[in-house]
Amino acid sequence: MSHADSANPLSRADRSRDEHHGTVAVILAAGQGTRMRSALPKVLHEVLGRPLVHFPILAAMAAGVSRVVVVVGHGRDQVEASVRKVAPGAVFAVQAEQRGTANAVMAAVPELGDARRVLILSGDVPGPSVETLSALLSAPSMTTGPAPSLTVVGFTADDPTGYGRLVTGADGHLLAIVEHKDAVRAGHNLVVAERRCNAGIYLIDRELLELTLSRVAGDNAQGEFYLTDVARFAAEAGRPGIVHLVSEAAEVEGVNDRSQLAKSESRLRKVRNLEFMRSGVTLLDPERIRIGFDVTIEADVVLGPDVTLSGRTVVESGVVIGQGTVVKDSSIAANAEILPYCVLDEAEVGARATVGPFAHLRPGTRLLEKAKVGNFVETKKTTLGRGAKANHLSYLGDCDVGEESNIGAGTITCNYDGLNKHRTRIGARVFVGSNTEIVAPCHLGDESVVGAGTTVTLDVPAGALAISRAPQVNLEGWATRRGPFARKRARTPSGQGEH
Ligand code: UD1
Ligand code: CA
């Protein structure tokens, strides 16, 4: 890669798009995924917060295909809506009945346009790397002889159960792909013992695809139209495919059930956590930390055990996030500290602010620089100005707090009157005493003070003291005569109370 390319990654993508012009990606995503036992279509189950079907689509686009066709059927509307989020330009082909992978590709043929080559990917294989797909797409131009018309991505499985087996001739050419069930049913022990498996990723010439697809019949153990039969027909036509073996099986393992889903998640989590550690992020016990795909973390951040970061979260340098904290779609600015067991959702935490332990920042929370939110405080649609503090046991909803103000323990903004929400505006350097309710809409002027235990129902002018609790009365000697200890003493014959 030239220096100019590394400085501008777009130029590389543009170039590969040109290179692979005429290659259309077809993603098979119409199946129900019976083995998941789920109401949700299988390809929408998520790995690290990303739906399975997004992985092959994003990888194919990054590898530079000219167009993406997604075959949908089961849960069609849901799958289409999810795909549109990452690939607005994707075209959908409908497979009315799920009669097998060849039948699915057949449904995509009318959408192939003038494509000369087709890259077929399974919607339930989350791993394929951009590198693998790019290598696959570029291979023909690198060979000296005639380009193969069919390349099948393979891997060597420790346990090949359930996968199609790759059957090759002495010269290494692909003769057939035999599905596990069919190999077992036919008693082909050599094939059953074969550990080289079909990853469900194929690059095939358009005309060879159409020629061989037309020959596929459903005469097999599952009564389905197998795309894998294309390999045998290509060999019979004198144009056998070749196998592109990936070195790490896990990269292309499919997800058919929940245990494979968990395995895939744990693999991708490890890969991602390693990337973060290499880029300068400290993970205390990385096995227990989960970081979603759209999360950005700068160097010199420390994440404690059981931290989960998801959505479009951004964490700037010097931030420390304590054990068990869960953050979604939030930004945390430089050197802020989030203590253990906090929940942040669509919140903005300013530089050097402190949150927690046990704080809940709900959507619309903004903490400016050096603001502080302590234990058992809940905030929603609330801004805390620079250096403002709410250290203990409070609910602040629909509220603006000015700089350096102090919100006492147990303060509650009464923002909801049963019908509508109202805002509370608290100025700068205001002191709100403990156990205070502020009935919104309400405005506390700059540098005002609210006495502890007050229910604030009226606006407080700047510099004023608001106090609403009943004045205290002391009755001299009352407790000595009538308090609980006095009554206990009266009951014991000796007149000696027990303490
Ligand atoms: C398939 C391959 C197998 C390979 C494995 C790799 C066939 C016959 N077998 O098996 O050789 O080792 O993938 O993971 O192709 N789909 C449709 N319409 C259908 C049926 C399936 O769109 O009618 C989609 C599914 O949504 C899924 C993909 O095709 O995303 C693969 O289907 P699946 O049933 O999971 O195939 P496997 O049994 O895993
Ligand atoms: Ca599968």
Side-chain angles (χ1 to χ4, degrees):
M1 199 194 291
S2 75
H3 178 73
D5 277 350
S6 59
N8 178 8
L10 267 186
S11 68
R12 189 171 62 133
D14 287 347
R15 203 183 54 206
S16 65
R17 197 161 293 129
D18 272 0
E19 265 171 26
H20 307 305
H21 181 74
T23 305
V24 164
V26 171
I27 319 288
L28 308 184
Q32 179 182 355
T34 331
R35 290 164 279 183
M36 292 299 278
R37 301 196 182 283
S38 173
L40 189 71
K42 172 171 71 178
V43 297
L44 294 186
H45 280 263
E46 293 181 351
V47 169
L48 273 192
R50 175 179 284 177
L52 285 171
V53 68
H54 288 193
F55 290 87
I57 293 175
L58 291 170
M61 291 196 305
V65 298
S66 57
R67 220 149 53 88
V68 173
V69 178
V70 184
V71 182
V72 293
H74 182 81
R76 178 187 160 188
D77 293 344
Q78 265 173 294
V79 176
E80 285 188 16
S82 170
V83 167
R84 274 200 199 94
K85 285 186 206 159
V86 286
V91 174
F92 297 96
V94 180
Q95 184 193 20
E97 267 181 86
Q98 284 70 64
R99 299 174 64 194
T101 42
N103 183 251
V105 176
M106 204 97 83
V109 168
E111 305 297 340
L112 293 179
D114 59 359
R116 287 179 289 105
R117 297 193 303 178
V118 185
L119 173 66
I120 302 172
L121 298 151
S122 299
D124 65 347
V125 177
S129 67
V130 179
E131 289 70 29
T132 296
L133 298 187
S134 298
L136 192 64
L137 293 176
S138 307
S141 59
M142 278 151 46
T143 57
T144 43
S149 310
L150 167 66
T151 311
V152 175
V153 176
F155 64 100
T156 307
D158 289 336
D159 175 11
T161 308
Y163 288 107
R165 305 298 205 281
L166 301 175
V167 178
T168 51
D171 56 359
H173 278 117
L174 187 62
L175 300 179
I177 302 173
V178 182
E179 289 305 296
H180 179 84
K181 282 186 184 163
D182 294 288
V184 171
R185 194 171 71 160
H188 286 158
N189 294 335
L190 276 179
V191 177
V192 175
E194 174 63 65
R195 286 169 54 220
R196 283 174 313 155
C197 296
N198 167 29
I201 300 168
Y202 321 77
L203 180 67
I204 183 167
D205 278 4
R206 161 78 172 278
E207 43 80 33
L208 182 64
L209 174 68
E210 292 197 43
L211 181 84
T212 49
L213 267 186
S214 66
R215 292 190 56 191
V216 174
D219 51 349
N220 52 54
Q222 307 187 81
E224 283 186 5
F225 293 88
Y226 288 165
L227 179 59
T228 44
D229 285 351
V230 159
R232 183 159 47 93
F233 298 136
E236 284 174 11
R239 296 164 71 185
I242 60 160
V243 174
H244 178 100
L245 262 195
V246 297
S247 52
E248 205 207 331
E251 180 196 336
V252 290
E253 278 173 356
V255 172
N256 296 311
D257 58 31
R258 309 255 182 178
S259 95
Q260 288 169 327
L261 186 73
K263 195 174 168 207
S264 187
E265 159 110 10
S266 125
R267 182 185 82 86
L268 285 170
R269 179 164 61 175
K270 267 189 206 123
V271 169
R272 195 143 167 76
N273 286 357
L274 197 62
E275 280 169 11
F276 279 117
M277 289 189 275
R278 286 194 178 129
S279 72
V281 179
T282 295
L283 305 190
L284 306 175
D285 205 348
E287 294 282 301
R288 294 162 61 185
I289 294 175
R290 188 170 184 262
I291 306 168
F293 283 102
D294 299 319
V295 173
T296 308
I297 310 177
E298 293 183 357
D300 288 322
V301 164
V302 178
L303 304 181
D306 303 320
V307 164
T308 296
L309 307 178
S310 67
R312 305 201 163 274
T313 291
V314 177
V315 185
E316 291 182 9
S317 71
V319 167
V320 176
I321 302 184
Q323 175 157 350
T325 284
V326 177
V327 183
K328 183 172 166 248
D329 291 318
S330 298
S331 63
I332 305 175
N335 301 312
E337 187 177 11
I338 316 293
L339 293 159
Y341 301 106
C342 294
V343 176
L344 279 68
D345 184 8
E346 291 178 38
E348 265 176 57
V349 176
R352 287 183 288 165
T354 310
V355 178
F358 303 103
H360 186 187
L361 308 189
R362 293 169 48 202
T365 296
R366 285 183 65 213
L367 308 185
L368 303 195
E369 206 183 332
K370 285 193 192 166
K372 219 172 153 224
V373 167
N375 24 206
F376 309 108
V377 173
E378 174 185 349
T379 59
K380 186 217 70 175
K381 286 190 185 157
T382 283
T383 301
L384 249 66
R386 198 174 185 285
K389 297 188 186 95
N391 276 337
H392 331 265
L393 295 163
S394 289
Y395 171 61
L396 299 173
D398 302 297
C399 179
D400 299 303
V401 179
E403 62 176 37
E404 306 291 339
S405 286
N406 183 75
I407 307 297
T411 296
I412 290 174
T413 53
C414 308
N415 57 329
Y416 184 50
D417 61 13
L419 203 60
N420 295 305
K421 300 276 172 72
H422 303 280
R423 284 201 83 78
T424 298
R425 290 182 301 126
I426 299 175
R429 294 170 300 283
V430 171
F431 183 91
V432 177
S434 298
N435 198 28
T436 294
E437 297 99 55
I438 304 170
V439 181
C442 192
H443 177 221
L444 277 53
D446 289 347
E447 299 187 14
S448 60
V449 170
V450 177
T454 292
T455 299
V456 183
T457 51
L458 306 171
D459 287 354
V460 181
L465 166 69
I467 188 156
S468 74
R469 58 180 187 242
Q472 182 173 333
V473 174
N474 292 335
L475 302 181
E476 292 286 347
W478 183 96
T480 315
R481 293 193 309 276
R482 307 205 33 204
F485 286 96
R487 284 175 301 180
K488 248 187 213 164
R489 263 196 302 274
R491 252 194 260 144
T492 40
S494 66
Q496 295 291 305
E498 287 168 40
H499 291 268

